[in-house]
Amino acid sequence: MNDFLLIFRRDFINKEDQPSPEQLQASIKPWQDWLGGIAAQDRLARPLQRWDGEGKVVRKDKNITNGPYAEIKESIGGLIFIKAVDYDEAVEIANGCPILELGGNVEIRMASTID
Amino acid sequence: MEERELLPHLFRREYRKIVSVLCYLFGIDHIEIAEDIVSDTFLSATEQWSLKGMPENPTAWLYTVAKNKTKNYLKRNTLFEQKLSAEIRYTADKTEEIEIDLSVKNIADSQLAMIFTICNPCISSEAQVALALNLLCGFGIQEIADAFLTNKEVIYKRINRAKERLKMEGIKIEQPNAAEINSRLETVLTTLYLLFSEGYYSTSQNIILRKDLCAEAMRLNYLLLENKSTNQPAVNALFALMCFHASRFEARSNESEEIILYQDQDESLWNKELIDQGTYFLNKAATGNIISKYHLEAGIAYWHTQKADTNEKWESILQLYNQLLILEYSPIAALNRTFALAKTNGKPEAILEAEKLNLTSNPFYYSLLGNLYTDIDADRAVQHYETALKLTNSSAEQILLSKNIDQIRAGQK
C-alpha cells in the first residue's frame, strides 16, 4: 500500500465558470459520501483538513501576492492523502470525486520513499 | 439517578466504596491490604447478620466495622503505619490518629482517583476493564470470568499482573489535575465504553450479569458527570450513547435469547425514560468545538430511537457514519455506513460500495451483502448468507441467518 496525494483543482475565478448556488449545495452530499466511502475502505492516510481558499504566493523578487496561485486557470480547492496499492487504484478512487462534476480535476501524486 | 435502582446489591456497592477510600488512603502499593480489610468486614457482616439479623443501618454498620478493622490493622502493624504516615495525604499532624473518611465527598473523590489510576495506558485495555470490574464495581473473579466467557485463572492472572504493573510504574492514586484529566480522559472513556459493550454485545447467556455490566459502566460514567472537572462534552455524549443503547435492551432479544433485529423490534419495549435521559445528555454534550466519536455515535443512536423510516433519519445516520469513519475507521462502522447508504442512495450503489470494503473474514460483511442482494439477486443473497453462516460462531446469529436463507428460498418457489 502506498500513500497518494490527491489535489482538487478548479477555476474559482472566472465568473462565467462558477457553479450556481443550487449546484454548489447539491455538491455537498456527494462530497460527504465520497469522503465517507474512502474512509469506509480504511484508505484515508491522514486526517482530513480544510484549507484556506486564498493563501499567499511567494516569488524570488520578494513580491508576495495574495493567492490563490492561478497562473494556470485552476487553483487548489483542497487536498487529501489516501492509501492505494498503485496509481490505477488511486485513479479509480479519484474517479468518484465530485469536483469532476463541477468542471474541476484531480491531480494524483504517489509518495516516494528513499530506498 | 437513583443508585439503588441501578444496583440493588448492597455488598457490591459498599465494597467498591470502602475499597476506593482505603486504596486512596494507602496508595497503590497496599491495594491488597485494603481489599483484605474490606473482605474481612463483609465476612464479619455475614456472620453477625445471619445470627442477629440485619442492623437498622447496614451501610453505617459496615463503615464502622471497616474503620475499626483498619485502625486495628494499623496498630498491629506499626511499621506499616510509619511508612504510610509519610505518604498520607490529609492528616495534618503525624501524631494524630489516621482518619478514615467515609463521607460522601471523600467516597466520590476516592472513586474518581481510582478510575484514573486503573484506566492507565500502561496496562492493556482488557486488563483495565477487568480491574475496573474488580475494584471499582466490586465484582468477584468468578463473575468477571463469566462476563468474559473465560475461566477464573485467566482473570485472576490478568488482574494480578495489572496490579503489579501499576505498582511497578509507581502510579499514584490521587485527584487528577486539569492537565491530567485532559490527557487521560480519553483512555478512561474508552475503558468505560468497553465495559458497557462487554455487557451489551456479549454472547454470554447471563442476562442479569450483562445488564449489571451496562449499569456499572453507566454508574462510573455518571460519577464523571458529577465531578465538575470531568463533566466534559465527550463524557456527556458517551453517557447519552449508553442511555440510547440501554433503552433497547429489553427489545433486542426474545425469551429464547434469539436476536431480534432493529427493524423487527417491538417499539413499546423501548425504555422511554432512558431515551429522554439520553436526549437530555446529548443536548448537554453539544457545547465546545470538539466533536468526539461519542458525539457521533450518540447521534446515530439517537436517530435509531426514531422508529419511522424517513429519508431524514437515514441521511442523518449516513452522514454521522461518514464523519465517524473519517475520524476513526472501524469495520463495523464501515458496514453500518453501507447499510445506511442503501437506505438513502439505493441498494445498487450500496452493493458497489460494499464490495470495495473487502472484509472477507467478517461474517457481518457477508450478512450485509446477503441483505443488499435480497430482492436483487436471490441466488447471490443466499450464497452470501451461507458464507456468513460458515464464519460466525454465535448461535443466535446462526439462527437469524438460517431464517433469512429460508425466507429467500421460500420466495423463489
Side-chain angles (χ1 to χ4, degrees), chain B residues 123-171:
Chain B
I123 53 177
S124 74
S125 51
E126 70 179 355
Q128 290 176 38
V129 172
L131 205 52
L133 277 171
N134 187 216
L135 291 175
L136 296 175
C137 309
F139 278 53
I141 304 291
Q142 184 66 58
E143 288 168 309
I144 302 171
D146 289 346
F148 280 105
L149 298 175
T150 177
N151 60 47
K152 266 166 83 172
E153 286 70 45
V154 171
I155 297 298
Y156 187 75
K157 270 189 203 147
R158 188 179 297 169
I159 286 177
N160 277 339
R161 239 182 277 138
K163 281 183 191 162
E164 286 313 311
R165 183 78 207 211
L166 290 175
K167 285 179 197 173
M168 218 175 73
E169 298 281 329
I171 304 296

Side-chain angles (χ1 to χ4, degrees), chain B residues 21-28 84-92 106 113 172-175:
Chain B
V21 166
L22 293 183
C23 288
Y24 188 40
L25 185 69
F26 294 167
I28 195 86
L84 195 64
S85 53
E87 301 165 15
I88 289 291
R89 286 151 244 280
Y90 48 84
T91 37
N106 193 50
K172 292 212 166 54
I173 304 174
E174 59 190 3
Q175 288 300 301

